[in-house]
Amino acid sequence: MLLERMTDEGFEKVVFCTDPGSGLRAIVAIHSTVLGPAGGGVRMYPYASEEEALNDVMRLARGMTYKNAAAGLALGGGKSVIIGDPTSESKEKIIRAMGRKIQSLRGEYLAGFDIGTTLNDMEILLEETDFVLTRPQRIGGGGDVSGGTALGVVEAMRAAIEHEGFEDFNNLKVAVQGLGAVGAKVAQMLVERGATVIATDVRPQMAEFASSIGAKWVDAEDILSQDVDVFCPCARGGIIDDFAIATLKARIVVGAANNILLERSHGPALDARGITYVPDFIANAGGIICDADSRQEGGFNLERAEQSVRGIYGRVHECLKRAKATGTTAQDVAHAMAEEHLTKHP
């Protein structure tokens, strides 16, 4: 069954990893190395089952192939998940064991941080493996690249609101779901640009942060129904389902979360409701763009990386323009843009 799925979805490799000494239980999914080593984050999450973890890592890995291709990066697509509690006292042992597993792949997969892992975890990985994409600044990396992801989301949103006839962020109303490392920065950037931000997070204590930046707080279950111009999901994926599509009042959906659509069919469903959807793998590519910059000679250059991230604005404009001209969805156009890049590198 798994081999059939891998064949159908174009996967090169799925590796299951265990380490009895540390308690590591992990999966590494390498979707494509056509453009280069498979780049993607290490996610640590207490999945309810192995099946849930497998589904997540395969969806995420495939998304990374398209994200990296659409951004024009010399990276393929991959992802890894560790099944476990990221607050566990055994986390360092688990991360070290994960590093040894990544090393055994001999560079096919390059690791970054993701939900449940941090820049500090990447430093620990570096003690066990050479194949880490997100590196601290002291050794030529970009450090915490969540700011790059946030900037890219804001640039994608700027293109989308212009497409919908807004002049700028002033008086724009945005609902931000999730105030993690990226979502908090997105919310703050939007407030600084003049937008009215309504925010939420599953952690009630983040209400204080929202207030400190001038955002309004609502309970998590109320975020979808807010009367806003833009819905910006910055937590886990799969948030756009049948219920969300029926509930949303926003005209635009663009955010930092991966796999925002629960099913691909929800893209056309958004279109049918007149809601502009910016494909997540274009909008949230800022972090991996910064990580990729650190692979250039001389290491990470902030000015060069930010300029590359701002290129997301133009890609979103092109995507939405082509979708309108052809009468198709932005989702289909974005995949076509990525495929165009992939087919140039057989």
Side-chain angles (χ1 to χ4, degrees), residues 50-119:
E50 291 178 17
E51 182 180 12
E52 182 185 4
L54 178 63
N55 286 335
D56 201 29
V57 75
M58 292 184 74
R59 280 168 57 89
L60 290 166
R62 190 167 184 267
M64 288 305 302
T65 294
Y66 289 102
K67 179 186 297 189
N68 295 336
L73 303 179
L75 290 169
K79 206 79 170 186
S80 63
V81 297
I82 298 172
I83 303 171
D85 181 356
T87 66
S88 167
E89 293 181 0
S90 302
K91 186 179 185 183
E92 182 175 337
K93 289 183 179 179
I94 291 171
I95 293 294
R96 288 189 181 280
M98 187 67 181
R100 294 191 291 273
K101 300 300 182 184
I102 292 170
Q103 182 68 16
S104 73
L105 293 172
R106 300 182 179 183
E108 287 184 278
Y109 169 65
L110 302 180
F113 65 67
D114 201 276
I115 293 173
T117 58
T118 65
L119 185 60

Side-chain angles (χ1 to χ4, degrees), residues 31 109 165 170 207 218 261 272 298 327:
H31 181 255
Y109 169 65
N170 288 316
V218 297
L261 305 179

Side-chain angles (χ1 to χ4, degrees), residues 169-210:
F169 288 100
N170 288 316
N171 302 315
L172 188 77
K173 292 182 288 184
V174 185
V176 178
Q177 181 192 46
L179 295 174
V182 175
K185 293 180 179 69
V186 169
Q188 190 160 6
M189 288 179 185
L190 291 173
V191 170
E192 291 169 354
R193 286 160 173 74
T196 298
V197 174
I198 300 170
T200 195
D201 193 280
V202 294
R203 300 164 295 170
Q205 63 267 31
M206 293 306 294
E208 185 176 344
F209 168 79

Side-chain angles (χ1 to χ4, degrees), residues 266-300:
H266 289 123
L270 284 172
D271 273 15
R273 273 212 58 203
I275 298 172
T276 296
Y277 168 62
V278 178
D280 48 63
F281 62 83
I282 291 184
N284 65 17
I288 195 77
I289 289 172
C290 290
D291 276 335
D293 184 87
S294 68
R295 301 182 72 214
Q296 297 193 47
E297 187 175 352
F300 180 77

Side-chain angles (χ1 to χ4, degrees), residues 3 10 28 40 68 115 122 135 186 206 243-244 249 252 262 264 268 287 308 310 317 324 344 346:
L3 283 173
V28 181
N68 295 336
I115 293 173
M122 297 302 104
R135 294 171 173 256
V186 169
M206 293 306 294
F243 173 79
K249 297 179 181 177
I252 299 165
L262 181 62
R264 187 157 181 169
S308 297
R310 292 184 188 279
H317 252 306
K324 184 176 181 180
K344 292 177 183 177

